[in-house]
Amino acid sequence: MASISFTLCSLRRATPKLKGKGLICSQCVGHLGLSQAVKRKANSSWNSSRLNSTAATYNQASSLISLGNKVGSPLGALSNTVRGEGYRSGSRFFPQQDDKVVGKWLVGSAISVFGIVVFGGLTRLTESGLSITEWRPVTGSLPPLSVADWDSEFSKYRASPEFKLLNPHMTLSEFKKIYYMEWTHRLWGRVVGLSFALPLVYFVARRRISARTALACTGIAGLIGFQGVLGWWMVKSGLKDDLFAPGSHPRVSQYRLVAHLSTAFLVYTSMLWNGLSIMRSHALLNKYEPARLVGYLSLFTSPALRTFRGSVLAMSLLVFITTMSGGLVAGLDAGLIYNDFPWMGTSLAPPKSELFSDFYSRRADGSDIWWRNMLENPSTVQLDHRILATTTFCSAIALWAYTRFVPAVKAALPAVAKKSTTRVVHLVLLQATLGISTLIYMVPVPLAALHQAGALAVLTGMVVLANKMHVPKGLLRVVHQRARMQRTVTPKAGLSKPGETTRMKQNVKTSPGSIEST
């Protein structure tokens, strides 16, 4: 008891000697913009009473904090800003910025789509696409597991026009090879759909994806489902002999093939574009301070690059159209005729009577002769593809020359865009070599598959270049917001010690997720 009494007496004698420095540091009082009057008021309050010093000190510390906020204290302003951002972010379901992992997921999904497109080309080249004559989205996930199941599938294939006209001597072991090719292609499509839909639900539930990206991904998910329907619609056209001339090579409709291919390209492009945009935004926010980043992004919106940006978009569309014309060539087997380059027979183009033949017209007045020959005549379709491919090649060279020999564009174009333009030229050169080789050697499977992959690679190069030149509005909004916050938390000149401003700027330069939800 004596020791307890001694301790209490000692605390009572020490309490009046505890200045406000024990509760609020003098550095904050001296360097957070507080006036001398406030410090005098604080000192007088701390020494006013020995009996009520503890309560007085506590109350005075609270008043100092509130006064510091009123006079523009940087820490007070930061706390108010963060508190306000928290309230605002809490009032909305979706964050303003996507998590970086969303961008990686989208790019990974795009790589998977790239692979299934190339594998789908192999399935068509090996004539395996018509081996499965039914569409069972759920139960078809498993291959035949017994001898009876294989006999059943083989009997269904024997009833198809492809077996009767092309493969009447096919054995069961040979059928299994083409069956597994088509089954793998369909299973891969299911994997693409599930690996996209399930993570999308997770990211939305965990609030790691912005509203704009969630809407875009929902559209992509819808396209993936639609792509599966288009795939079966395409295969179905090759299982009936009323869609092609009697006795001709059984094949799927070239129209449905192009629809299936174009949807796959749209899915791939959408995934790649959104994924690259998210990853690029995070990379720039980590690399540059807000003020510098605003200046860097302004380089891509320079008026001197307006023509270049329009040319990139126009060439991207040209690459897509050229690829779709290649789909018509594949659907009509038009690569098996005129296997020479640049000649087609004895001249650069076949005779007009061959290019616009009455054979393909279905109207008595011949009003459809032009567009039907453009889409159904193998000679005309191959000539169209040659013209489009040559135009794409020349456009890529012209775009590269425009960035190198026009002084205003050369000076204004950022280095990353110049590198991307050079990569596009390299991809186009490779694709032209593959295309000519495929034609000359009469469409061997390896070269034809590489040529199809090259088409998607060229489109990838154009998407990357266009993405480099694009400045997302969401990124600009985040950059301007962070620039305002940096200006808010930076102390006024003359009110901080040397090095204090530098330390506070370093505190502001934190990870992308420290200021707002990613």
Side-chain angles (χ1 to χ4, degrees):
M1 292 298 293
S3 60
I4 296 176
S5 302
F6 177 77
T7 303
L8 291 176
C9 293
S10 301
L11 289 176
R12 189 178 298 110
R13 289 194 300 268
T15 299
K17 299 179 182 181
L18 294 176
K19 301 295 184 182
K21 298 178 182 179
L23 297 176
I24 181 169
C25 66
S26 60
Q27 186 178 6
C28 292
V29 176
H31 300 291
L32 296 185
L34 295 178
S35 63
Q36 294 297 328
V38 174
K39 289 191 284 185
R40 287 195 300 269
K41 179 180 179 181
N43 292 332
S44 62
S45 299
W46 288 330
N47 296 311
S48 59
S49 175
R50 296 174 59 93
L51 297 178
N52 298 322
S53 58
T54 303
T57 303
Y58 176 81
N59 295 332
Q60 189 60 33
S62 301
S63 65
L64 281 172
I65 294 174
S66 61
L67 284 172
N69 292 338
K70 291 180 180 179
V71 298
S73 166
L75 295 179
L78 177 61
S79 64
N80 290 334
T81 305
V82 173
R83 184 171 60 252
E85 291 300 322
Y87 290 152
R88 285 194 293 272
S89 62
S91 63
R92 61 164 63 94
F93 182 84
F94 294 98
Q96 287 187 349
Q97 188 181 1
D98 300 286
D99 199 320
K100 187 177 181 179
V101 71
V102 176
K104 294 180 179 180
W105 161 66
L106 286 171
V107 173
S109 299
I111 294 174
S112 181
V113 173
F114 189 104
I116 194 176
V117 169
V118 176
F119 191 82
L122 284 172
T123 303
R124 183 192 59 80
L125 290 168
T126 56
E127 296 181 348
S128 305
L130 299 178
S131 58
I132 302 179
T133 59
E134 295 178 340
W135 188 46
R136 294 172 295 174
V138 178
T139 58
S141 301
L142 295 176
L145 301 177
S146 63
V147 176
D149 293 338
W150 278 113
D151 289 339
S152 175
E153 292 295 328
F154 192 31
S155 63
K156 296 174 184 177
Y157 177 69
R158 288 198 297 265
S160 66
E162 184 179 73
F163 177 85
K164 295 177 182 179
L165 297 175
L166 293 181
N167 304 315
H169 304 292
M170 176 176 283
T171 62
L172 179 60
S173 61
E174 294 172 337
F175 169 72
K176 288 182 179 181
K177 295 180 181 179
I178 63 173
Y179 185 95
Y180 275 121
M181 284 286 292
E182 174 64 11
W183 176 80
T184 303
H185 181 61
R186 296 191 183 189
L187 181 65
W188 197 338
R190 294 181 177 94
V191 172
V192 169
L194 291 176
S195 64
F196 190 84
L198 296 181
L200 175 59
V201 174
Y202 170 79
F203 289 136
V204 171
R206 299 293 296 176
R207 303 187 181 186
R208 303 180 70 177
I209 188 171
S210 66
R212 175 197 160 281
T213 306
L215 181 62
C217 290
T218 302
I220 295 173
L223 278 177
I224 294 174
F226 182 63
Q227 174 73 343
V229 177
L230 280 178
W232 168 246
W233 185 56
M234 176 191 68
V235 170
K236 189 177 179 180
S237 66
L239 300 176
K240 298 180 180 180
D241 54 6
D242 58 345
L243 296 179
F244 43 86
S248 63
H249 190 293
R251 63 171 64 96
V252 299
S253 167
Q254 73 272 20
Y255 297 111
R256 302 186 186 186
L257 174 63
V258 171
H260 187 55
L261 183 65
S262 62
T263 306
F265 272 52
L266 288 176
V267 170
Y268 171 78
T269 303
S270 302
M271 289 178 176
L272 185 64
W273 178 272
N274 287 280
L276 290 177
S277 298
I278 295 172
M279 296 181 66
R280 178 171 176 247
S281 298
H282 278 273
L284 291 176
L285 289 171
N286 287 333
K287 184 176 181 180
Y288 296 102
E289 294 182 355
R292 290 187 60 195
L293 185 54
V294 171
Y296 177 75
L297 294 177
S298 64
L299 298 177
F300 297 92
T301 58
S302 172
L305 300 178
R306 183 176 303 170
T307 303
F308 178 77
R309 291 193 297 268
S311 300
V312 170
L313 294 178
M315 186 174 169
S316 300
L317 181 61
L318 177 61
V319 170
F320 182 81
I321 295 175
T322 304
T323 305
M324 294 306 105
S325 72
L328 289 175
V329 173
L332 294 171
D333 290 330
L336 298 176
I337 59 175
Y338 293 114
N339 301 103
D340 199 2
F341 190 86
W343 308 107
M344 296 183 71
T346 58
S347 61
L348 293 175
K352 182 179 179 181
S353 58
E354 181 181 348
L355 292 176
F356 299 98
S357 174
D358 296 335
F359 174 78
Y360 297 96
S361 177
R362 299 182 184 178
R363 295 182 180 178
D365 57 355
S367 59
D368 60 344
I369 189 173
W370 286 88
W371 70 267
R372 284 197 178 276
N373 277 276
M374 296 282 287
L375 300 176
E376 299 178 2
N377 186 344
S379 301
T380 310
V381 167
Q382 188 189 122
L383 178 62
D384 293 341
H385 187 61
R386 290 187 180 210
I387 294 173
L388 288 170
T390 305
T391 304
T392 302
F393 178 84
C394 295
S395 300
I397 301 298
L399 186 67
W400 177 85
Y402 181 69
T403 63
R404 294 305 190 274
F405 300 109
V406 177
V409 177
K410 183 178 180 180
L413 191 65
V416 291
K418 293 180 181 178
K419 293 179 181 179
S420 297
T421 305
T422 303
R423 293 190 187 102
V424 168
V425 174
H426 293 164
L427 289 171
V428 170
L429 287 171
L430 177 62
Q431 176 67 351
T433 303
L434 288 173
I436 295 173
S437 302
T438 302
L439 183 67
I440 293 176
Y441 290 101
M442 298 187 67
V443 198
V445 173
L447 279 177
L450 287 175
H451 185 52
Q452 181 173 342
L456 195 52
V458 173
L459 183 62
T460 302
M462 292 306 305
V463 171
V464 172
L465 176 57
N467 190 267
K468 296 287 186 183
M469 298 301 301
H470 176 67
V471 180
K473 294 182 179 179
L475 176 60
L476 284 176
R477 183 169 56 251
V478 172
V479 170
H480 287 301
Q481 179 183 358
R482 295 190 178 186
R484 288 194 302 269
M485 294 186 66
Q486 188 179 43
R487 290 194 299 267
T488 301
V489 300
T490 301
K492 297 181 181 179
L495 295 180
S496 61
K497 291 182 179 181
E500 187 71 19
T501 302
T502 304
R503 288 195 297 270
M504 296 196 69
K505 287 183 178 180
Q506 292 174 353
N507 292 333
V508 174
K509 291 170 56 180
T510 54
S511 61
S514 61
I515 294 181
E516 62 179 70
S517 176
T518 58

